[in-house]
């Protein structure tokens, strides 16, 4: 799990500083492979490359909310799949059926896809576990700049 102290948008180099954290995340607007992740990490001194942190951080900034991020990683820096651009629809959605059809006839990809699915499940479980623990916390502290619906939940609420 990563808590970014800074998110950099690779599109324009802009930065959003987080309220807490220890890591640097660089965001791009497309799925990138191993070599591109490595290049971006070196160029921006980043610990992780993602597609969403910059947009979320800018959204928080636009509403004068302190950005706090929590990243669970499912595809490590050295993880490689074929180019995924062909499976991203014009609206940004992932074309799952097209991806499954592509992989189904390429058995050499099966192990990597299975590994990605396992890692994605582990990352989601780790994130859910952290959020459940956070929501169970009896600490009555409010989030910085929080508004309705953004307060930590006490232990007995559902």
């Amino acid at each position: 799990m990563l808590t970014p102290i800074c998110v950099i948008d690779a599109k324009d180099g802009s930065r959003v500083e987080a309220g807490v954290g220890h890591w640097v995340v660089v965001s791009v607007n497309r799925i990138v492979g191993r070599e591109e992740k490595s290049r971006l990490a070196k160029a921006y001194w980043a610990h992780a490359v993602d597609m969403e942190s910059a947009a979320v951080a800018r959204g928080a900034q636009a509403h004068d909310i302190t950005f706090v991020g929590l990243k669970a990683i499912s595809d490590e820096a050295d993880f490689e799949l074929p180019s995924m651009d062909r499976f991203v629809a014009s609206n940004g959605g992932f074309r799952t059926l097209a991806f499954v059809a592509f992989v189904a006839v390429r058995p050499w990809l099966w192990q990597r896809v299975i590994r990605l699915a396992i890692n994605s499940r582990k990352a989601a479980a780790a994130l859910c576990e952290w959020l459940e623990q956070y929501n169970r916390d009896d600490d009555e502290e409010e989030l910085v700049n929080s508004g309705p619906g953004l307060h930590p939940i006490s232990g007995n609420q559902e």
Side-chain angles (χ1 to χ4, degrees), residues 41 63 97 107 115 125 129 150:
H63 291 88
L97 194 55
R115 185 171 138 214
E129 183 179 327
L150 296 178

Side-chain angles (χ1 to χ4, degrees), residues 89-109:
S90 60
N91 67 359
F94 189 71
R95 297 176 45 233
T96 304
L97 194 55
F99 178 72
V100 169
F102 177 83
V103 171
V105 296
R106 292 168 176 81
W108 60 91
L109 294 176

Side-chain angles (χ1 to χ4, degrees), residues 4-41:
I5 188 70
C6 175
V7 175
I8 303 169
D9 190 335
K11 179 177 53 186
D12 61 8
S14 62
R15 307 164 65 93
V16 175
E17 302 295 325
V20 297
H22 304 287
W23 310 101
V24 175
V25 173
V26 62
S27 280
V28 295
N29 62 358
R30 67 192 184 292
I31 300 170
V32 296
R34 177 177 51 204
E35 289 178 18
E36 183 73 359
K37 286 180 199 174
S38 177
R39 187 189 70 72
L40 287 162

Side-chain angles (χ1 to χ4, degrees), residues 70-120:
L70 182 63
K71 298 294 302 178
I73 307 295
S74 58
D75 58 326
E76 304 89 0
D78 65 346
F79 189 83
E80 187 66 53
L81 276 177
S83 174
M84 302 293 278
D85 292 337
R86 71 184 96 181
F87 307 113
V88 179
S90 60
N91 67 359
F94 189 71
R95 297 176 45 233
T96 304
L97 194 55
F99 178 72
V100 169
F102 177 83
V103 171
V105 296
R106 292 168 176 81
W108 60 91
L109 294 176
W110 295 354
Q111 189 173 17
R112 284 185 270 175
V113 171
I114 290 168
R115 185 171 138 214
L116 180 61
I118 290 168
N119 289 350
S120 295

Side-chain angles (χ1 to χ4, degrees), residues 41-64:
K42 287 176 186 169
Y44 293 98
W45 294 71
H47 299 89
V49 177
D50 79 357
M51 293 176 59
E52 58 279 329
S53 290
V56 173
R58 282 186 196 242
Q61 190 177 46
H63 291 88
D64 200 27

